Amino acid sequence: MKWLLALALGAVALAVSFAGSAALLEAWLTGFLLWLHLGVGAIGVLALGHLLREEWLAPVRAPLEAAARSLPLLALMALPLLLVPDQLYPWAHVEAEPGPRAALLQPWAFRLRSLAYLLVWAALGWRLARPGPQRGASVLALVLLLPTATLAGFDWVLSRDTSWYASLQGFSMWVAGLAAALAAAILAARTHPSSEGLPGLERALLTLGLAVLWLWFTQFIVVWMADLPEEAGWYLRRLGEWRWVQLGLALPALLLAIALAAPPDHGRWRMVAVCWLLLVQFAAHLWWVVRPDAPLATPAPWLDLLVTGGLGLAFALWWRAGLRRLS
């Protein structure tokens, strides 16, 4: 079942690559990044749980392991990015000024790095999803995840603005993915966490939520204090017609999630609310970061929903199959 689904998705990705419009590819990029961060975030949460020997990992371990093993499917979702980067990245069809950045932003180098990220993550997901404690593998996972996730954030998202050099955005997107992956795993868990694991999950959700907020604020302050026109322009584009996404949706959802997560002894309804709010803020913030730099076309809302929902359905079916195998 899982491999039939993978073959079907691979065929769809190839069709989108060779026949898709710019708007369709733009919607595909956003949907791919959304589900990719859940898979890669699950690897990071597993590594942290194993390394710290936290009791909260037990009730959410199966959903996280199933998500961590979704990287083969997510690699197929990446095909349009690898096959037709010129539709999504301005540097792929414009000759850049000579320099180290121009050498990095070549289609062949972009494809090699992307394949390396996906292979490393797939291997880490497979390793951390094995039974038993995985402390040694967890150390290796965190050592590899930090640079690969940061570089992937630059390659797949931030490089669409060739004047953008900020380094914290890729890292902050990965941390937001950790929070979203843990929230999704809690919602997917078959039972509500026991009293032993509940305080740890409460602290983990609150810590990740605060880390996301701190990274957003730090990156903004660094750019503001540096007073660099190119990097300020990145924010100005997003504080125009796109400001409602961040200021009206992502930021209120994050602040409300932190406010609900701060008091101890969560009831089930409060933990569920915190998880949904973290997922909403993650999706909205990702859209806010990615979409304003669309080089050729902006998809209609119905196309965004259709493509993201279709990729999400494939991800959910793979995840469900993995959960059944682990149970």
Side-chain angles (χ1 to χ4, degrees), residues 2-325:
K2 288 172 63 174
W3 294 108
L4 288 175
L5 175 64
L7 289 173
L9 181 63
V12 172
L14 287 172
V16 169
S17 301
F18 291 109
S21 65
L24 176 58
L25 288 165
E26 187 67 32
W28 188 281
L29 172 65
T30 310
F32 161 71
L33 290 171
L34 177 66
W35 303 113
L36 175 79
H37 277 84
L38 290 184
V40 178
I43 298 172
V45 175
L46 276 173
L48 289 171
H50 283 303
L51 188 60
L52 300 175
R53 295 179 176 174
E54 290 284 0
E55 293 180 346
W56 56 257
L57 182 61
V60 295
R61 181 169 177 173
L64 289 171
E65 289 178 346
R69 287 189 171 181
S70 67
L71 265 298
L73 185 75
L74 292 164
L76 291 176
M77 291 184 189
L79 282 177
L81 281 68
L82 304 182
L83 295 175
V84 285
D86 57 301
Q87 297 289 309
L88 296 167
Y89 302 96
W91 49 260
H93 53 78
V94 175
E95 186 174 351
E97 297 180 3
R101 189 181 177 100
L104 287 174
L105 296 180
Q106 297 291 333
W108 64 269
F110 169 79
R111 292 185 179 108
L112 285 178
R113 289 195 304 273
S114 298
L115 289 172
Y117 305 146
L118 294 166
L119 286 173
V120 167
W121 296 338
L124 292 176
W126 173 81
R127 183 65 179 85
L128 289 178
R130 295 175 64 181
Q134 303 291 337
R135 296 199 73 200
S138 297
V139 174
L140 177 63
L142 292 175
V143 168
L144 293 176
L145 277 173
L146 180 58
T148 55
T150 302
L151 290 172
F154 168 78
D155 278 339
W156 293 341
V157 181
L158 304 174
S159 70
R160 282 148 62 92
D161 180 351
T162 55
S163 64
W164 179 251
Y165 283 89
S167 59
L168 279 179
Q169 282 287 355
F171 176 67
S172 66
M173 289 171 60
W174 176 61
V175 174
L178 294 178
L182 180 57
I186 292 172
L187 293 174
R190 296 181 181 275
T191 58
H192 189 58
S194 64
S195 57
E196 292 80 11
L198 187 58
L201 280 175
E202 293 173 353
R203 291 193 300 270
L205 287 171
L206 178 60
T207 301
L208 289 172
L210 289 170
V212 171
L213 181 62
W214 180 80
L215 286 167
W216 286 4
F217 179 74
T218 301
Q219 183 65 67
F220 180 81
I221 289 297
V222 167
V223 171
W224 179 73
M225 292 182 67
D227 195 22
L228 299 175
E230 297 85 0
E231 297 187 1
W234 189 90
Y235 278 99
L236 289 174
R237 283 196 303 278
R238 287 157 177 79
L239 294 176
E241 61 178 313
W242 296 95
R243 65 182 179 275
W244 68 270
V245 179
Q246 182 75 341
L247 301 179
L249 188 57
L251 184 58
L254 180 59
L255 292 176
L256 184 55
I258 292 171
L260 287 175
D265 301 325
H266 295 165
R268 179 169 179 80
W269 74 268
R270 187 146 58 97
M271 178 164 282
V272 168
V274 169
C275 291
W276 277 113
L277 286 167
L278 288 174
L279 289 172
V280 167
Q281 70 81 23
F282 171 70
H285 181 71
L286 180 68
W287 192 38
W288 181 78
V289 169
V290 174
R291 187 53 53 79
D293 288 328
L296 299 178
T298 299
W302 66 265
L303 184 59
D304 264 325
L305 290 174
L306 181 64
V307 173
T308 302
L311 295 178
L313 178 61
F315 181 84
L317 290 173
W318 185 285
W319 193 0
R320 183 179 176 85
L323 276 174
R324 287 178 174 174
R325 196 176 68 81

